[in-house]
Amino acid sequence: MDCLPTPDLIAAYQSAALAHPKDLLCGPVSYLPDVELDPISPDCVERLALLSEPHPARPAPASGEMITAGDHDLFWSLSFAVRRGVWDQIGGFDENFEGYGGEDTDFAWQARSTGTGLTWVGSASAFHQYHPVSSPPVEHLDDILSNGRLFAKKWGQWPMQGWLDRFETLGLVRRGSAGYEQVPLTVASVPGSHVYVRHLSSPDEDASAIIRLPDPPPTRADAPTGAPWWPPAMLDPDWIRNCEADVFHIHFGFDAHSPAQLHAVIDALEAREIPLVYTVHDLQNPHHEDAALHSSQLDVLIPRATEVITLTRKAAEEIRQRWNIDAHVIAHPHVAELETISELGSSSLPRQEEFLLGIHLKSLRANMVGIPLLQAAAAAVAKIPGGILQVNLHHDVFDEDGPRHDPELVRYLLTSEVELHVHDYFSDRELFEYLSGLDVSLLPYRFGTHSGWMEACHDFGTRVIAPNVGCYISQGADASYSWTRENGVWTPDADSLHSAVLSVSSGQREQVEELVNRRRSERNEIAAAHAAIYRSALAKTRS
């Protein structure tokens, strides 16, 4: 897939197969630089040949030349040919090798063990298209170690020794009694106890390769409900100067930090040679009407991070446009525990005679709109047979003596055809019971970026209608609606909201066992992706 064959490649291999019918045949592959290539033209091969460079460690015979008795350790599958009988004699590739590394060497050693020679065919040349690579390939460390163990078991020694030596120098692997093994990495996650961060580890595999430090006690005793870690003590240069972390990973909690304070945090990390990984959850803070502070914080964190992660392709595109930085895209993991998903999902049977759409206004944070959205949603739900609009609200907004009391919203709710529920901040269990009991959750946001709420809904098969702002659609909303703004007043587009409600008012939920298995598989992929990024960040810092 990487390689462009020259027009003479097939004929050259055919000729070589006649001249050396018992050999494994390899053509030289030269590497193209990172340049834009012109459309194919008659002189294309000559131009590519001038641009490309041969691999420095492999033979590059001239056109028409063949080198026999080649070193089997130099075989690569980028470009090779073999007669069917020789292929059968070798036995093909060992499919126990998975992912990256070792399979070519194993195939070549198997060929050598069967008496199959190796011939390099100069006229069978190809060009390797440019793509970014890392040396050593730390992103493939898991595969290299697992495939290396398989190879060593078969052949009595480890392959890819050059890479393993580099990994050892970087402190990523060590030699153990059973060969090479990973050195556990210690990660300071800000915050470590947030459910998102807890679910970045694999639910199935040994988590010892990544050790996450617990949150230190916060610097104030009145931490808000749901965020006992706030404000995070890790975001302090003095804490960093004495920490035992290999990698520092920021997610949330820097809302109150000025750009100068964030620079001081990163300066302390760089003085300790601790790489910073930053996950961009919010391109616009949903709690701030004025985006200026958050934008200035991003202007520090994103350019100075060793590695940048975000949750959706749309967010990555904006990061690329605003900061000219390529962010890794890793999806949001499940929010509820897998056991809770299985339990509540099994008990939330589809309701045949009603359609329950929920809007949870919480404590009316800055990006939420109340009455206009409720009016449009009520009109849309009224057109659905068995439609019910359930509205949830916290006491601090509903109660007259509440610190965020909204009398106009309360009057509307008490005089409207809605199913009103007023309560304090949900516990995790109460939240999941609420979400699993809805058919659809409608997000009342007029700005924002990503949504953990949406992921919690999807944990239970509850569909989500999201606004067409931020990156909610890219994250996987089931339907969307739009907003209009006139004279500073935000109004939901009634037609788009009605269409969205109609589109999600029917359909069956995913079977619970399938949903749990899918969420488990996604989390394993997310954990592996984060481990690879941590190792890459560490390699960049230590190289």
Side-chain angles (χ1 to χ4, degrees), residues 39-327:
I40 298 298
S41 61
D43 65 342
C44 177
V45 174
E46 289 78 6
R47 288 189 294 108
L48 294 181
L50 291 173
L51 287 170
S52 64
E53 294 182 358
H55 192 287
R58 284 183 165 84
S63 178
E65 181 185 1
M66 286 190 281
I67 300 175
T68 58
D71 182 353
H72 285 73
D73 284 336
L74 299 181
F75 168 81
W76 54 1
S77 60
L78 283 174
S79 172
F80 77 101
V82 63
R83 297 177 71 99
R84 181 182 299 274
V86 178
W87 171 267
D88 292 339
Q89 175 179 299
I90 296 171
F93 284 90
D94 183 344
E95 296 185 8
N96 289 306
F97 287 86
E98 295 185 0
Y100 186 92
E103 75 286 353
D104 280 8
T105 308
D106 175 78
F107 177 79
W109 282 35
Q110 183 65 30
R112 184 173 59 191
S113 72
T114 62
T116 303
L118 179 66
T119 292
W120 289 87
V121 183
S123 298
S125 59
F127 302 105
H128 186 286
Q129 300 184 74
Y130 174 83
H131 60 77
V133 296
S134 56
S135 181
V138 291
E139 68 274 21
H140 299 298
L141 179 58
D142 289 333
D143 289 345
I144 289 170
L145 289 179
S146 60
N147 286 342
R149 292 188 194 98
L150 175 60
F151 186 96
K153 186 177 180 180
K154 288 179 66 174
W155 300 105
Q157 67 183 76
W158 280 70
M160 304 172 281
Q161 193 62 56
W163 288 345
L164 292 169
D165 289 343
R166 291 284 305 283
F167 291 147
E168 191 171 19
T169 300
L170 292 171
L172 299 176
V173 303
R174 62 191 174 200
R175 299 175 196 244
S177 58
Y180 290 89
E181 59 186 22
Q182 283 194 52
V183 174
L185 296 184
T186 300
V187 179
S189 299
V190 184
S193 58
H194 193 283
V195 64
Y196 176 93
V197 178
R198 296 201 313 268
H199 289 173
L200 297 185
S201 60
S202 169
D204 298 326
E205 299 175 4
D206 181 9
S208 62
I210 303 295
I211 300 170
R212 295 188 187 276
L213 295 176
D215 288 316
T219 54
R220 51 187 286 179
D222 58 340
T225 303
W229 43 267
W230 195 89
M234 289 183 182
L235 290 178
D236 183 337
D238 287 338
W239 186 91
I240 291 169
R241 280 189 276 270
N242 296 286
C243 75
E244 298 299 325
D246 295 307
V247 177
F248 199 84
H249 190 170
I250 296 179
H251 294 273
F252 315 105
F254 54 86
D255 307 51
H257 281 64
S258 68
Q261 289 173 314
L262 291 176
H263 275 302
V265 167
I266 302 172
D267 289 344
L269 291 171
E270 291 181 351
R272 292 283 314 280
E273 297 186 338
I274 299 174
L276 169 63
V277 177
Y278 173 48
T279 294
V280 185
H281 293 269
D282 298 309
L283 286 163
Q284 183 174 2
N285 191 315
H287 300 282
H288 297 173
E289 186 75 37
D290 186 347
L293 173 60
H294 190 71
S295 292
S296 67
Q297 292 165 331
L298 296 184
D299 285 339
V300 176
L301 292 170
I302 292 176
R304 294 196 66 182
T306 310
E307 299 282 2
V308 177
I309 302 171
T310 193
L311 311 183
T312 59
R313 292 192 180 279
K314 189 172 189 295
E317 291 169 1
E318 183 169 341
I319 292 167
R320 177 68 179 174
Q321 292 170 358
R322 290 174 62 178
W323 292 279
N324 195 31
I325 287 173
D326 293 320

Side-chain angles (χ1 to χ4, degrees), residues 314 443 445-448 465-474 477 479-484 490 493 496:
K314 189 172 189 295
L443 305 186
Y445 308 151
R446 56 187 174 85
F447 62 84
I465 298 174
N468 65 347
V469 299
C471 303
Y472 301 119
I473 296 174
S474 181
S480 66
Y481 66 97
S482 58
W483 290 95
T484 59
W490 290 88
D493 178 73
S496 67

Side-chain angles (χ1 to χ4, degrees), residues 28-39:
V29 178
S30 50
Y31 283 72
L32 294 169
D34 183 14
V35 296
E36 290 291 330
L37 299 178
D38 295 330

Side-chain angles (χ1 to χ4, degrees), residues 208-537:
S208 62
I210 303 295
I211 300 170
R212 295 188 187 276
L213 295 176
D215 288 316
T219 54
R220 51 187 286 179
D222 58 340
T225 303
W229 43 267
W230 195 89
M234 289 183 182
L235 290 178
D236 183 337
D238 287 338
W239 186 91
I240 291 169
R241 280 189 276 270
N242 296 286
C243 75
E244 298 299 325
D246 295 307
V247 177
F248 199 84
H249 190 170
I250 296 179
H251 294 273
F252 315 105
F254 54 86
D255 307 51
H257 281 64
S258 68
Q261 289 173 314
L262 291 176
H263 275 302
V265 167
I266 302 172
D267 289 344
L269 291 171
E270 291 181 351
R272 292 283 314 280
E273 297 186 338
I274 299 174
L276 169 63
V277 177
Y278 173 48
T279 294
V280 185
H281 293 269
D282 298 309
L283 286 163
Q284 183 174 2
N285 191 315
H287 300 282
H288 297 173
E289 186 75 37
D290 186 347
L293 173 60
H294 190 71
S295 292
S296 67
Q297 292 165 331
L298 296 184
D299 285 339
V300 176
L301 292 170
I302 292 176
R304 294 196 66 182
T306 310
E307 299 282 2
V308 177
I309 302 171
T310 193
L311 311 183
T312 59
R313 292 192 180 279
K314 189 172 189 295
E317 291 169 1
E318 183 169 341
I319 292 167
R320 177 68 179 174
Q321 292 170 358
R322 290 174 62 178
W323 292 279
N324 195 31
I325 287 173
D326 293 320
H328 303 275
V329 177
I330 306 178
H332 197 300
H334 62 87
V335 175
E337 300 301 331
L338 296 172
E339 297 78 11
T340 304
I341 297 173
S342 180
E343 176 193 351
L344 293 181
S346 298
S347 63
S348 301
L349 298 176
R351 293 165 289 276
Q352 300 298 324
E353 299 179 355
E354 69 179 34
F355 170 76
L356 185 59
L357 183 144
I359 299 178
H360 199 316
L361 295 175
K362 306 179 187 178
S363 294
L364 281 183
R365 68 188 186 190
N367 71 335
M368 289 187 175
V369 173
I371 295 175
L373 183 65
L374 295 175
Q375 291 172 330
V381 170
K383 299 177 182 180
I384 305 296
I388 298 172
L389 176 59
Q390 177 180 323
V391 179
N392 285 58
L393 190 67
H394 289 164
H395 278 293
D396 60 353
V397 176
F398 184 84
D399 295 350
E400 289 187 4
D401 59 350
R404 301 180 62 84
H405 179 59
D406 187 327
E408 184 179 1
L409 174 63
V410 171
R411 283 194 298 271
Y412 172 82
L413 291 171
L414 292 176
T415 58
S416 303
E417 295 294 326
V418 301
E419 183 182 291
L420 177 61
H421 294 259
V422 180
H423 51 81
D424 291 320
Y425 196 100
F426 274 149
S427 67
D428 286 349
R429 178 70 184 194
E430 290 168 336
L431 173 62
F432 298 145
E433 288 176 347
Y434 160 72
L435 294 178
S436 66
L438 298 175
D439 289 297
V440 177
S441 179
L442 194 158
L443 305 186
Y445 308 151
R446 56 187 174 85
F447 62 84
T449 310
H450 299 117
S451 171
W453 187 276
M454 182 192 303
E455 296 297 335
C457 288
H458 287 164
D459 285 343
F460 302 101
T462 300
R463 296 180 289 279
V464 177
I465 298 174
N468 65 347
V469 299
C471 303
Y472 301 119
I473 296 174
S474 181
Q475 189 179 345
D478 299 277
S480 66
Y481 66 97
S482 58
W483 290 95
T484 59
R485 187 182 187 187
E486 294 184 8
N487 300 320
V489 178
W490 290 88
T491 306
D493 178 73
D495 290 338
S496 67
L497 184 56
H498 176 255
S499 297
V501 172
L502 190 64
S503 71
V504 296
S505 62
S506 60
Q508 294 184 340
R509 296 193 182 202
E510 185 178 2
Q511 292 295 316
V512 174
E513 184 177 356
E514 294 177 0
L515 192 156
V516 171
N517 288 339
R518 176 171 59 80
R519 285 308 226 179
R520 181 187 298 276
S521 176
E522 290 170 352
R523 182 168 157 193
N524 280 322
E525 293 174 1
I526 290 166
H530 277 83
I533 288 171
Y534 294 151
R535 290 192 293 263
S536 174

